[in-house]
Amino acid sequence: MKKIILIISLISVLSSSAQVGIGTTTPNSDAILELSSTTKGLLLPRVALTATTSFAPLAAHTLGMSVFNTATAGDVTPGTYYNDGTKWIRIEKSTAATRSFYMPPVAIDVSVAATGQTMDLYTLYKNQFNTPSVKSTSAPVAIPYFAAATDLYYYVTSYDTNAMTVTSINDSGVMTYNVSGLGSSSCSLLNIVFVYK
């Protein structure tokens, strides 16, 4: 009975007001419901899914439905899932593999000896992702990229130490290096790994 009264009360509040706030008296004007707390979280319904293609234990696939799956069954494991209207899709947790990426090796001219050279690794990454040479027909013009240089950690994993020496990389991705000077038409390949903070 208490649940029915609570649902009726919520429906009457929703119908009489454009927005509802729980924990706030000024909910966002674009939200139908805003939850606000600095010490509590939102607890999604916990259900035992059976497979991504099965709506069970719910009555049907419903676009936008979100649940926390507690079961390991079929092709589902415990975690947060949303429904796209035809199947359940897991909201992936961040792993080392999903947080790091690298570009193709970068060629650096090492023909002439020089010290204190710099290369902006973030700009190199941004230019390569923002202006692809060719794309598939329906793909967006630019590949999404991280908006700030400080969103990433920078690593150089491999280069020819006989041709050059990397002396530092700052937090904005500017690499400082020295070149040994190996003569005309010499280059060294540099492997760079980016990790999202």
mmCIF file of all heavy atoms in Angstrom, residues 40-95:
data_model
loop_
_atom_site.group_PDB
_atom_site.id
_atom_site.type_symbol
_atom_site.label_atom_id
_atom_site.label_comp_id
_atom_site.label_asym_id
_atom_site.label_seq_id
_atom_site.Cartn_x
_atom_site.Cartn_y
_atom_site.Cartn_z
ATOM 1 N N LYS A 40 25.371 10.207 -0.888
ATOM 2 C CA LYS A 40 24.589 9.037 -1.279
ATOM 3 C C LYS A 40 24.591 8.888 -2.801
ATOM 4 O O LYS A 40 24.836 9.833 -3.531
ATOM 5 C CB LYS A 40 23.145 9.159 -0.779
ATOM 6 C CG LYS A 40 23.053 9.236 0.731
ATOM 7 C CD LYS A 40 21.628 9.180 1.211
ATOM 8 C CE LYS A 40 21.502 9.362 2.693
ATOM 9 N NZ LYS A 40 22.203 8.427 3.511
ATOM 10 N N GLY A 41 24.324 7.664 -3.268
ATOM 11 C CA GLY A 41 24.322 7.384 -4.698
ATOM 12 C C GLY A 41 22.976 6.879 -5.173
ATOM 13 O O GLY A 41 22.036 6.716 -4.394
ATOM 14 N N LEU A 42 22.883 6.630 -6.465
ATOM 15 C CA LEU A 42 21.685 6.064 -7.090
ATOM 16 C C LEU A 42 21.874 4.557 -7.184
ATOM 17 O O LEU A 42 22.872 4.088 -7.715
ATOM 18 C CB LEU A 42 21.502 6.649 -8.495
ATOM 19 C CG LEU A 42 20.410 6.005 -9.353
ATOM 20 C CD1 LEU A 42 19.038 6.273 -8.760
ATOM 21 C CD2 LEU A 42 20.495 6.505 -10.777
ATOM 22 N N LEU A 43 20.948 3.800 -6.663
ATOM 23 C CA LEU A 43 21.024 2.345 -6.701
ATOM 24 C C LEU A 43 20.082 1.839 -7.783
ATOM 25 O O LEU A 43 18.861 1.949 -7.665
ATOM 26 C CB LEU A 43 20.649 1.754 -5.341
ATOM 27 C CG LEU A 43 20.772 0.244 -5.200
ATOM 28 C CD1 LEU A 43 22.196 -0.218 -5.487
ATOM 29 C CD2 LEU A 43 20.344 -0.188 -3.810
ATOM 30 N N LEU A 44 20.660 1.316 -8.859
ATOM 31 C CA LEU A 44 19.855 0.771 -9.951
ATOM 32 C C LEU A 44 19.201 -0.537 -9.509
ATOM 33 O O LEU A 44 19.722 -1.236 -8.630
ATOM 34 C CB LEU A 44 20.739 0.496 -11.171
ATOM 35 C CG LEU A 44 21.267 1.698 -11.922
ATOM 36 C CD1 LEU A 44 22.212 1.252 -13.036
ATOM 37 C CD2 LEU A 44 20.132 2.530 -12.505
ATOM 38 N N PRO A 45 18.093 -0.895 -10.145
ATOM 39 C CA PRO A 45 17.484 -2.192 -9.846
ATOM 40 C C PRO A 45 18.475 -3.316 -10.144
ATOM 41 O O PRO A 45 19.160 -3.287 -11.163
ATOM 42 C CB PRO A 45 16.290 -2.256 -10.809
ATOM 43 C CG PRO A 45 16.015 -0.842 -11.188
ATOM 44 C CD PRO A 45 17.332 -0.135 -11.135
ATOM 45 N N ARG A 46 18.557 -4.283 -9.238
ATOM 46 C CA ARG A 46 19.456 -5.418 -9.413
ATOM 47 C C ARG A 46 18.644 -6.610 -9.893
ATOM 48 O O ARG A 46 17.720 -7.059 -9.202
ATOM 49 C CB ARG A 46 20.168 -5.722 -8.090
ATOM 50 C CG ARG A 46 21.186 -4.635 -7.746
ATOM 51 C CD ARG A 46 21.509 -4.596 -6.296
ATOM 52 N NE ARG A 46 20.371 -3.980 -5.584
ATOM 53 C CZ ARG A 46 20.306 -3.807 -4.291
ATOM 54 N NH1 ARG A 46 21.285 -4.216 -3.529
ATOM 55 N NH2 ARG A 46 19.266 -3.234 -3.742
ATOM 56 N N VAL A 47 18.960 -7.084 -11.088
ATOM 57 C CA VAL A 47 18.216 -8.186 -11.694
ATOM 58 C C VAL A 47 19.190 -9.243 -12.188
ATOM 59 O O VAL A 47 20.375 -8.966 -12.371
ATOM 60 C CB VAL A 47 17.331 -7.708 -12.870
ATOM 61 C CG1 VAL A 47 16.318 -6.670 -12.416
ATOM 62 C CG2 VAL A 47 18.176 -7.154 -14.002
ATOM 63 N N ALA A 48 18.691 -10.433 -12.431
ATOM 64 C CA ALA A 48 19.509 -11.525 -12.968
ATOM 65 C C ALA A 48 19.156 -11.708 -14.439
ATOM 66 O O ALA A 48 18.176 -12.364 -14.780
ATOM 67 C CB ALA A 48 19.254 -12.806 -12.184
ATOM 68 N N LEU A 49 19.952 -11.087 -15.323
ATOM 69 C CA LEU A 49 19.742 -11.271 -16.764
ATOM 70 C C LEU A 49 20.176 -12.675 -17.160
ATOM 71 O O LEU A 49 20.992 -13.304 -16.478
ATOM 72 C CB LEU A 49 20.543 -10.230 -17.557
ATOM 73 C CG LEU A 49 20.182 -8.762 -17.325
ATOM 74 C CD1 LEU A 49 21.106 -7.849 -18.129
ATOM 75 C CD2 LEU A 49 18.729 -8.490 -17.679
ATOM 76 N N THR A 50 19.646 -13.151 -18.282
ATOM 77 C CA THR A 50 19.990 -14.499 -18.746
ATOM 78 C C THR A 50 20.847 -14.476 -20.012
ATOM 79 O O THR A 50 21.604 -15.392 -20.262
ATOM 80 C CB THR A 50 18.721 -15.316 -19.018
ATOM 81 O OG1 THR A 50 17.919 -14.630 -19.987
ATOM 82 C CG2 THR A 50 17.922 -15.500 -17.737
ATOM 83 N N ALA A 51 20.719 -13.419 -20.815
ATOM 84 C CA ALA A 51 21.505 -13.255 -22.044
ATOM 85 C C ALA A 51 21.240 -11.861 -22.580
ATOM 86 O O ALA A 51 20.202 -11.262 -22.272
ATOM 87 C CB ALA A 51 21.110 -14.296 -23.093
ATOM 88 N N THR A 52 22.152 -11.339 -23.384
ATOM 89 C CA THR A 52 21.945 -9.997 -23.930
ATOM 90 C C THR A 52 20.743 -9.947 -24.865
ATOM 91 O O THR A 52 20.096 -8.914 -24.980
ATOM 92 C CB THR A 52 23.197 -9.509 -24.693
ATOM 93 O OG1 THR A 52 23.546 -10.458 -25.694
ATOM 94 C CG2 THR A 52 24.359 -9.276 -23.747
ATOM 95 N N THR A 53 20.414 -11.062 -25.507
ATOM 96 C CA THR A 53 19.287 -11.079 -26.449
ATOM 97 C C THR A 53 17.943 -11.351 -25.784
ATOM 98 O O THR A 53 16.900 -11.203 -26.409
ATOM 99 C CB THR A 53 19.518 -12.140 -27.540
ATOM 100 O OG1 THR A 53 19.754 -13.408 -26.905
ATOM 101 C CG2 THR A 53 20.716 -11.767 -28.404
ATOM 102 N N SER A 54 17.965 -11.752 -24.517
ATOM 103 C CA SER A 54 16.720 -12.056 -23.804
ATOM 104 C C SER A 54 16.334 -10.900 -22.890
ATOM 105 O O SER A 54 17.161 -10.396 -22.145
ATOM 106 C CB SER A 54 16.897 -13.325 -22.966
ATOM 107 O OG SER A 54 15.767 -13.531 -22.144
ATOM 108 N N PHE A 55 15.061 -10.491 -22.937
ATOM 109 C CA PHE A 55 14.606 -9.403 -22.062
ATOM 110 C C PHE A 55 14.387 -9.875 -20.629
ATOM 111 O O PHE A 55 14.302 -9.084 -19.714
ATOM 112 C CB PHE A 55 13.333 -8.739 -22.587
ATOM 113 C CG PHE A 55 12.237 -9.707 -22.933
ATOM 114 C CD1 PHE A 55 11.468 -10.299 -21.946
ATOM 115 C CD2 PHE A 55 11.979 -10.016 -24.257
ATOM 116 C CE1 PHE A 55 10.454 -11.185 -22.264
ATOM 117 C CE2 PHE A 55 10.964 -10.900 -24.588
ATOM 118 C CZ PHE A 55 10.202 -11.483 -23.595
ATOM 119 N N ALA A 56 14.291 -11.206 -20.407
ATOM 120 C CA ALA A 56 14.034 -11.767 -19.082
ATOM 121 C C ALA A 56 15.103 -11.300 -18.088
ATOM 122 O O ALA A 56 16.253 -11.168 -18.455
ATOM 123 C CB ALA A 56 14.015 -13.288 -19.158
ATOM 124 N N PRO A 57 14.693 -10.990 -16.883
ATOM 125 C CA PRO A 57 13.408 -11.237 -16.241
ATOM 126 C C PRO A 57 12.374 -10.134 -16.463
ATOM 127 O O PRO A 57 11.302 -10.162 -15.865
ATOM 128 C CB PRO A 57 13.784 -11.333 -14.767
ATOM 129 C CG PRO A 57 14.915 -10.373 -14.634
ATOM 130 C CD PRO A 57 15.676 -10.486 -15.928
ATOM 131 N N LEU A 58 12.666 -9.136 -17.312
ATOM 132 C CA LEU A 58 11.679 -8.103 -17.607
ATOM 133 C C LEU A 58 10.650 -8.639 -18.594
ATOM 134 O O LEU A 58 10.833 -9.724 -19.159
ATOM 135 C CB LEU A 58 12.364 -6.845 -18.153
ATOM 136 C CG LEU A 58 13.018 -5.939 -17.084
ATOM 137 C CD1 LEU A 58 14.177 -6.622 -16.389
ATOM 138 C CD2 LEU A 58 13.475 -4.650 -17.688
ATOM 139 N N ALA A 59 9.615 -7.873 -18.867
ATOM 140 C CA ALA A 59 8.537 -8.327 -19.743
ATOM 141 C C ALA A 59 8.834 -8.116 -21.226
ATOM 142 O O ALA A 59 8.251 -8.774 -22.077
ATOM 143 C CB ALA A 59 7.238 -7.610 -19.382
ATOM 144 N N ALA A 60 9.761 -7.185 -21.539
ATOM 145 C CA ALA A 60 10.076 -6.896 -22.943
ATOM 146 C C ALA A 60 11.348 -6.064 -22.997
ATOM 147 O O ALA A 60 11.785 -5.496 -21.984
ATOM 148 C CB ALA A 60 8.928 -6.122 -23.595
ATOM 149 N N HIS A 61 11.973 -6.003 -24.189
ATOM 150 C CA HIS A 61 13.085 -5.073 -24.399
ATOM 151 C C HIS A 61 12.505 -3.662 -24.429
ATOM 152 O O HIS A 61 11.535 -3.402 -25.142
ATOM 153 C CB HIS A 61 13.786 -5.361 -25.734
ATOM 154 C CG HIS A 61 14.627 -6.599 -25.713
ATOM 155 N ND1 HIS A 61 15.738 -6.735 -24.923
ATOM 156 C CD2 HIS A 61 14.508 -7.767 -26.397
ATOM 157 C CE1 HIS A 61 16.284 -7.916 -25.117
ATOM 158 N NE2 HIS A 61 15.554 -8.572 -25.997
ATOM 159 N N THR A 62 13.073 -2.757 -23.656
ATOM 160 C CA THR A 62 12.590 -1.382 -23.590
ATOM 161 C C THR A 62 13.763 -0.430 -23.789
ATOM 162 O O THR A 62 14.700 -0.425 -22.992
ATOM 163 C CB THR A 62 11.904 -1.095 -22.236
ATOM 164 O OG1 THR A 62 10.863 -2.055 -22.034
ATOM 165 C CG2 THR A 62 11.334 0.304 -22.194
ATOM 166 N N LEU A 63 13.713 0.352 -24.850
ATOM 167 C CA LEU A 63 14.774 1.290 -25.176
ATOM 168 C C LEU A 63 15.055 2.221 -23.996
ATOM 169 O O LEU A 63 14.139 2.849 -23.468
ATOM 170 C CB LEU A 63 14.386 2.121 -26.403
ATOM 171 C CG LEU A 63 15.363 3.196 -26.843
ATOM 172 C CD1 LEU A 63 16.660 2.572 -27.318
ATOM 173 C CD2 LEU A 63 14.759 4.049 -27.941
ATOM 174 N N GLY A 64 16.310 2.269 -23.557
ATOM 175 C CA GLY A 64 16.703 3.162 -22.472
ATOM 176 C C GLY A 64 16.663 2.555 -21.083
ATOM 177 O O GLY A 64 17.122 3.178 -20.125
ATOM 178 N N MET A 65 16.133 1.364 -20.938
ATOM 179 C CA MET A 65 16.067 0.706 -19.628
ATOM 180 C C MET A 65 17.481 0.438 -19.121
ATOM 181 O O MET A 65 18.340 -0.004 -19.875
ATOM 182 C CB MET A 65 15.312 -0.620 -19.738
ATOM 183 C CG MET A 65 15.141 -1.368 -18.435
ATOM 184 S SD MET A 65 13.980 -0.598 -17.309
ATOM 185 C CE MET A 65 12.439 -0.865 -18.180
ATOM 186 N N SER A 66 17.734 0.707 -17.842
ATOM 187 C CA SER A 66 19.042 0.456 -17.231
ATOM 188 C C SER A 66 18.877 -0.419 -16.006
ATOM 189 O O SER A 66 17.957 -0.219 -15.216
ATOM 190 C CB SER A 66 19.710 1.771 -16.817
ATOM 191 O OG SER A 66 19.998 2.560 -17.933
ATOM 192 N N VAL A 67 19.784 -1.394 -15.848
ATOM 193 C CA VAL A 67 19.751 -2.294 -14.695
ATOM 194 C C VAL A 67 21.178 -2.656 -14.302
ATOM 195 O O VAL A 67 22.117 -2.483 -15.079
ATOM 196 C CB VAL A 67 18.981 -3.608 -15.004
ATOM 197 C CG1 VAL A 67 17.522 -3.330 -15.335
ATOM 198 C CG2 VAL A 67 19.661 -4.399 -16.113
ATOM 199 N N PHE A 68 21.307 -3.168 -13.080
ATOM 200 C CA PHE A 68 22.570 -3.788 -12.680
ATOM 201 C C PHE A 68 22.335 -5.281 -12.691
ATOM 202 O O PHE A 68 21.494 -5.801 -11.948
ATOM 203 C CB PHE A 68 23.032 -3.330 -11.296
ATOM 204 C CG PHE A 68 24.377 -3.908 -10.943
ATOM 205 C CD1 PHE A 68 25.533 -3.244 -11.308
ATOM 206 C CD2 PHE A 68 24.475 -5.131 -10.304
ATOM 207 C CE1 PHE A 68 26.779 -3.788 -11.028
ATOM 208 C CE2 PHE A 68 25.715 -5.685 -10.010
ATOM 209 C CZ PHE A 68 26.873 -5.010 -10.382
ATOM 210 N N ASN A 69 23.061 -6.002 -13.563
ATOM 211 C CA ASN A 69 22.913 -7.448 -13.663
ATOM 212 C C ASN A 69 23.750 -8.130 -12.584
ATOM 213 O O ASN A 69 24.931 -7.833 -12.416
ATOM 214 C CB ASN A 69 23.367 -7.923 -15.047
ATOM 215 C CG ASN A 69 23.425 -9.436 -15.122
ATOM 216 O OD1 ASN A 69 22.487 -10.123 -14.731
ATOM 217 N ND2 ASN A 69 24.544 -9.962 -15.588
ATOM 218 N N THR A 70 23.139 -9.059 -11.869
ATOM 219 C CA THR A 70 23.825 -9.776 -10.792
ATOM 220 C C THR A 70 24.294 -11.168 -11.215
ATOM 221 O O THR A 70 25.010 -11.830 -10.477
ATOM 222 C CB THR A 70 22.891 -9.931 -9.579
ATOM 223 O OG1 THR A 70 21.712 -10.638 -9.992
ATOM 224 C CG2 THR A 70 22.520 -8.574 -9.002
ATOM 225 N N ALA A 71 23.879 -11.627 -12.408
ATOM 226 C CA ALA A 71 24.112 -13.020 -12.812
ATOM 227 C C ALA A 71 25.276 -13.169 -13.788
ATOM 228 O O ALA A 71 25.607 -12.256 -14.538
ATOM 229 C CB ALA A 71 22.841 -13.581 -13.444
ATOM 230 N N THR A 72 25.842 -14.369 -13.766
ATOM 231 C CA THR A 72 26.760 -14.804 -14.826
ATOM 232 C C THR A 72 26.014 -15.917 -15.543
ATOM 233 O O THR A 72 25.844 -17.012 -15.015
ATOM 234 C CB THR A 72 28.089 -15.332 -14.242
ATOM 235 O OG1 THR A 72 28.714 -14.275 -13.520
ATOM 236 C CG2 THR A 72 29.013 -15.815 -15.343
ATOM 237 N N ALA A 73 25.519 -15.594 -16.741
ATOM 238 C CA ALA A 73 24.709 -16.546 -17.502
ATOM 239 C C ALA A 73 24.779 -16.178 -18.976
ATOM 240 O O ALA A 73 24.911 -15.000 -19.325
ATOM 241 C CB ALA A 73 23.255 -16.497 -17.023
ATOM 242 N N GLY A 74 24.691 -17.176 -19.846
ATOM 243 C CA GLY A 74 24.756 -16.893 -21.271
ATOM 244 C C GLY A 74 25.967 -16.034 -21.578
ATOM 245 O O GLY A 74 27.096 -16.381 -21.237
ATOM 246 N N ASP A 75 25.734 -14.860 -22.174
ATOM 247 C CA ASP A 75 26.837 -13.944 -22.499
ATOM 248 C C ASP A 75 26.836 -12.698 -21.606
ATOM 249 O O ASP A 75 27.392 -11.676 -21.978
ATOM 250 C CB ASP A 75 26.788 -13.556 -23.975
ATOM 251 C CG ASP A 75 25.497 -12.858 -24.361
ATOM 252 O OD1 ASP A 75 24.529 -12.886 -23.569
ATOM 253 O OD2 ASP A 75 25.450 -12.275 -25.451
ATOM 254 N N VAL A 76 26.223 -12.784 -20.414
ATOM 255 C CA VAL A 76 26.218 -11.652 -19.486
ATOM 256 C C VAL A 76 27.000 -11.985 -18.224
ATOM 257 O O VAL A 76 27.063 -13.132 -17.802
ATOM 258 C CB VAL A 76 24.783 -11.198 -19.107
ATOM 259 C CG1 VAL A 76 24.028 -10.701 -20.325
ATOM 260 C CG2 VAL A 76 24.011 -12.301 -18.409
ATOM 261 N N THR A 77 27.619 -10.958 -17.662
ATOM 262 C CA THR A 77 28.343 -11.074 -16.393
ATOM 263 C C THR A 77 27.900 -9.906 -15.515
ATOM 264 O O THR A 77 27.317 -8.938 -16.023
ATOM 265 C CB THR A 77 29.870 -11.016 -16.614
ATOM 266 O OG1 THR A 77 30.184 -9.811 -17.312
ATOM 267 C CG2 THR A 77 30.364 -12.224 -17.392
ATOM 268 N N PRO A 78 28.144 -9.966 -14.220
ATOM 269 C CA PRO A 78 27.710 -8.868 -13.355
ATOM 270 C C PRO A 78 28.243 -7.509 -13.820
ATOM 271 O O PRO A 78 29.408 -7.377 -14.198
ATOM 272 C CB PRO A 78 28.281 -9.260 -11.987
ATOM 273 C CG PRO A 78 28.303 -10.755 -12.033
ATOM 274 C CD PRO A 78 28.718 -11.078 -13.445
ATOM 275 N N GLY A 79 27.351 -6.530 -13.821
ATOM 276 C CA GLY A 79 27.709 -5.185 -14.249
ATOM 277 C C GLY A 79 26.492 -4.406 -14.685
ATOM 278 O O GLY A 79 25.360 -4.915 -14.678
ATOM 279 N N THR A 80 26.700 -3.163 -15.097
ATOM 280 C CA THR A 80 25.606 -2.280 -15.500
ATOM 281 C C THR A 80 25.312 -2.462 -16.985
ATOM 282 O O THR A 80 26.228 -2.456 -17.807
ATOM 283 C CB THR A 80 25.968 -0.814 -15.212
ATOM 284 O OG1 THR A 80 26.314 -0.702 -13.824
ATOM 285 C CG2 THR A 80 24.801 0.109 -15.508
ATOM 286 N N TYR A 81 24.022 -2.606 -17.304
ATOM 287 C CA TYR A 81 23.576 -2.800 -18.680
ATOM 288 C C TYR A 81 22.474 -1.798 -19.008
ATOM 289 O O TYR A 81 21.714 -1.405 -18.132
ATOM 290 C CB TYR A 81 23.001 -4.210 -18.881
ATOM 291 C CG TYR A 81 24.036 -5.309 -18.924
ATOM 292 C CD1 TYR A 81 24.636 -5.769 -17.761
ATOM 293 C CD2 TYR A 81 24.409 -5.882 -20.134
ATOM 294 C CE1 TYR A 81 25.591 -6.770 -17.794
ATOM 295 C CE2 TYR A 81 25.355 -6.902 -20.180
ATOM 296 C CZ TYR A 81 25.940 -7.333 -19.001
ATOM 297 O OH TYR A 81 26.883 -8.326 -19.055
ATOM 298 N N TYR A 82 22.395 -1.403 -20.281
ATOM 299 C CA TYR A 82 21.251 -0.633 -20.766
ATOM 300 C C TYR A 82 20.672 -1.364 -21.960
ATOM 301 O O TYR A 82 21.345 -2.194 -22.585
ATOM 302 C CB TYR A 82 21.631 0.812 -21.109
ATOM 303 C CG TYR A 82 22.469 0.962 -22.360
ATOM 304 C CD1 TYR A 82 21.874 1.186 -23.607
ATOM 305 C CD2 TYR A 82 23.851 0.885 -22.305
ATOM 306 C CE1 TYR A 82 22.644 1.318 -24.754
ATOM 307 C CE2 TYR A 82 24.625 1.022 -23.436
ATOM 308 C CZ TYR A 82 24.019 1.234 -24.663
ATOM 309 O OH TYR A 82 24.771 1.355 -25.802
ATOM 310 N N ASN A 83 19.424 -1.075 -22.275
ATOM 311 C CA ASN A 83 18.751 -1.769 -23.360
ATOM 312 C C ASN A 83 18.587 -0.834 -24.546
ATOM 313 O O ASN A 83 18.152 0.308 -24.391
ATOM 314 C CB ASN A 83 17.381 -2.270 -22.879
ATOM 315 C CG ASN A 83 16.842 -3.362 -23.763
ATOM 316 O OD1 ASN A 83 16.465 -3.112 -24.900
ATOM 317 N ND2 ASN A 83 16.803 -4.574 -23.244
ATOM 318 N N ASP A 84 18.943 -1.306 -25.752
ATOM 319 C CA ASP A 84 18.819 -0.484 -26.962
ATOM 320 C C ASP A 84 17.497 -0.713 -27.688
ATOM 321 O O ASP A 84 17.300 -0.254 -28.808
ATOM 322 C CB ASP A 84 20.000 -0.714 -27.904
ATOM 323 C CG ASP A 84 19.972 -2.079 -28.586
ATOM 324 O OD1 ASP A 84 19.069 -2.910 -28.275
ATOM 325 O OD2 ASP A 84 20.850 -2.330 -29.430
ATOM 326 N N GLY A 85 16.570 -1.415 -27.048
ATOM 327 C CA GLY A 85 15.273 -1.694 -27.636
ATOM 328 C C GLY A 85 15.191 -3.090 -28.219
ATOM 329 O O GLY A 85 14.101 -3.601 -28.464
ATOM 330 N N THR A 86 16.352 -3.731 -28.439
ATOM 331 C CA THR A 86 16.373 -5.095 -28.981
ATOM 332 C C THR A 86 17.269 -6.033 -28.180
ATOM 333 O O THR A 86 17.167 -7.240 -28.312
ATOM 334 C CB THR A 86 16.863 -5.106 -30.442
ATOM 335 O OG1 THR A 86 18.213 -4.617 -30.485
ATOM 336 C CG2 THR A 86 15.971 -4.260 -31.335
ATOM 337 N N LYS A 87 18.186 -5.460 -27.368
ATOM 338 C CA LYS A 87 19.118 -6.295 -26.599
ATOM 339 C C LYS A 87 19.736 -5.476 -25.471
ATOM 340 O O LYS A 87 19.669 -4.247 -25.461
ATOM 341 C CB LYS A 87 20.213 -6.860 -27.508
ATOM 342 C CG LYS A 87 21.108 -5.805 -28.118
ATOM 343 C CD LYS A 87 22.080 -6.409 -29.119
ATOM 344 C CE LYS A 87 22.904 -5.365 -29.829
ATOM 345 N NZ LYS A 87 22.158 -4.376 -30.560
ATOM 346 N N TRP A 88 20.378 -6.190 -24.542
ATOM 347 C CA TRP A 88 21.110 -5.560 -23.443
ATOM 348 C C TRP A 88 22.533 -5.274 -23.882
ATOM 349 O O TRP A 88 23.169 -6.095 -24.528
ATOM 350 C CB TRP A 88 21.139 -6.473 -22.211
ATOM 351 C CG TRP A 88 19.794 -6.670 -21.604
ATOM 352 C CD1 TRP A 88 18.997 -7.782 -21.693
ATOM 353 C CD2 TRP A 88 19.065 -5.725 -20.815
ATOM 354 N NE1 TRP A 88 17.823 -7.575 -21.016
ATOM 355 C CE2 TRP A 88 17.848 -6.316 -20.460
ATOM 356 C CE3 TRP A 88 19.337 -4.436 -20.370
ATOM 357 C CZ2 TRP A 88 16.889 -5.674 -19.685
ATOM 358 C CZ3 TRP A 88 18.394 -3.789 -19.595
ATOM 359 C CH2 TRP A 88 17.187 -4.409 -19.259
ATOM 360 N N ILE A 89 23.053 -4.104 -23.516
ATOM 361 C CA ILE A 89 24.425 -3.720 -23.841
ATOM 362 C C ILE A 89 25.123 -3.348 -22.537
ATOM 363 O O ILE A 89 24.639 -2.502 -21.788
ATOM 364 C CB ILE A 89 24.469 -2.551 -24.839
ATOM 365 C CG1 ILE A 89 23.799 -2.971 -26.150
ATOM 366 C CG2 ILE A 89 25.906 -2.092 -25.070
ATOM 367 C CD1 ILE A 89 23.643 -1.857 -27.147
ATOM 368 N N ARG A 90 26.261 -3.991 -22.300
ATOM 369 C CA ARG A 90 26.999 -3.726 -21.059
ATOM 370 C C ARG A 90 27.712 -2.376 -21.157
ATOM 371 O O ARG A 90 28.299 -2.049 -22.182
ATOM 372 C CB ARG A 90 28.022 -4.819 -20.799
ATOM 373 C CG ARG A 90 28.735 -4.642 -19.460
ATOM 374 C CD ARG A 90 29.792 -5.715 -19.259
ATOM 375 N NE ARG A 90 30.579 -5.383 -18.090
ATOM 376 C CZ ARG A 90 30.501 -6.001 -16.939
ATOM 377 N NH1 ARG A 90 29.672 -6.993 -16.773
ATOM 378 N NH2 ARG A 90 31.254 -5.634 -15.927
ATOM 379 N N ILE A 91 27.646 -1.600 -20.093
ATOM 380 C CA ILE A 91 28.426 -0.374 -19.999
ATOM 381 C C ILE A 91 29.801 -0.808 -19.523
ATOM 382 O O ILE A 91 29.962 -1.266 -18.397
ATOM 383 C CB ILE A 91 27.776 0.631 -19.029
ATOM 384 C CG1 ILE A 91 26.393 1.019 -19.556
ATOM 385 C CG2 ILE A 91 28.665 1.859 -18.853
ATOM 386 C CD1 ILE A 91 25.591 1.895 -18.619
ATOM 387 N N GLU A 92 30.771 -0.728 -20.418
ATOM 388 C CA GLU A 92 32.097 -1.265 -20.147
ATOM 389 C C GLU A 92 32.794 -0.522 -19.029
ATOM 390 O O GLU A 92 32.754 0.699 -18.969
ATOM 391 C CB GLU A 92 32.967 -1.210 -21.405
ATOM 392 C CG GLU A 92 32.511 -2.158 -22.495
ATOM 393 C CD GLU A 92 32.568 -3.623 -22.100
ATOM 394 O OE1 GLU A 92 33.419 -4.014 -21.280
ATOM 395 O OE2 GLU A 92 31.742 -4.388 -22.611
ATOM 396 N N LYS A 93 33.451 -1.279 -18.181
ATOM 397 C CA LYS A 93 34.290 -0.663 -17.164
ATOM 398 C C LYS A 93 35.629 -0.324 -17.807
ATOM 399 O O LYS A 93 36.059 -0.967 -18.761
ATOM 400 C CB LYS A 93 34.469 -1.592 -15.964
ATOM 401 C CG LYS A 93 35.133 -2.914 -16.278
ATOM 402 C CD LYS A 93 35.190 -3.770 -15.040
ATOM 403 C CE LYS A 93 35.793 -5.130 -15.377
ATOM 404 N NZ LYS A 93 35.832 -6.005 -14.242
ATOM 405 N N SER A 94 36.262 0.697 -17.303
ATOM 406 C CA SER A 94 37.549 1.119 -17.832
ATOM 407 C C SER A 94 38.627 0.123 -17.431
ATOM 408 O O SER A 94 38.720 -0.282 -16.283
ATOM 409 C CB SER A 94 37.895 2.510 -17.293
ATOM 410 O OG SER A 94 39.143 2.912 -17.764
ATOM 411 N N THR A 95 39.419 -0.305 -18.392
ATOM 412 C CA THR A 95 40.548 -1.190 -18.133
ATOM 413 C C THR A 95 41.790 -0.564 -18.734
ATOM 414 O O THR A 95 41.709 0.398 -19.496
ATOM 415 C CB THR A 95 40.322 -2.572 -18.771
ATOM 416 O OG1 THR A 95 40.310 -2.408 -20.196
ATOM 417 C CG2 THR A 95 39.036 -3.211 -18.302
#
